[in-house]
Amino acid sequence: MTSKILCATDGTAHSAHAVEIAATMAAKLGAKLSICAVNVAHGGSRGPLIYTWEDAQVKQVLDAAAAVARKIGATQVDELSLRSREAAAA
């Protein structure tokens, strides 16, 4: 039985739909839902790493997604902010 579900989001309409589906599954299965946003880094070879979003933007995206998930009925919702050079590697 599924006990954990991971859903990535970036705040777009496409990812909002994924959050809705994941939240529905979590609510029906009684599973823990972890929602993550990956802040992708650019640069860094001879200069500083520059991230796509400010920390406040990441928090806003995650908070909005978690609120939708809770409204749908998911009761165990975690928010994960990840940083990586590549979204898939995170």
Side-chain angles (χ1 to χ4, degrees):
M1 175 177 265
T2 302
S3 61
K4 296 179 184 177
I5 297 171
L6 174 65
C7 183
T9 186
D10 62 2
T12 62
H14 290 300
S15 67
H17 185 63
V19 169
E20 291 169 3
I21 292 170
T24 301
M25 289 173 53
K28 288 183 179 182
L29 297 172
K32 179 180 178 179
L33 175 60
S34 296
I35 300 173
C36 73
V38 180
N39 199 355
V40 178
H42 304 279
S45 60
R46 291 189 180 220
L49 285 176
I50 299 170
Y51 289 95
T52 303
W53 297 321
E54 296 290 329
D55 290 341
Q57 290 173 301
V58 174
K59 181 168 177 32
Q60 183 179 15
V61 166
L62 288 171
D63 288 347
V68 168
R70 289 185 183 100
K71 184 176 180 181
I72 289 173
T75 57
Q76 302 175 63
V77 181
D78 286 339
E79 299 177 29
L80 306 168
S81 175
L82 307 172
R83 288 184 169 196
S84 180
R85 286 189 174 273
E86 297 177 15

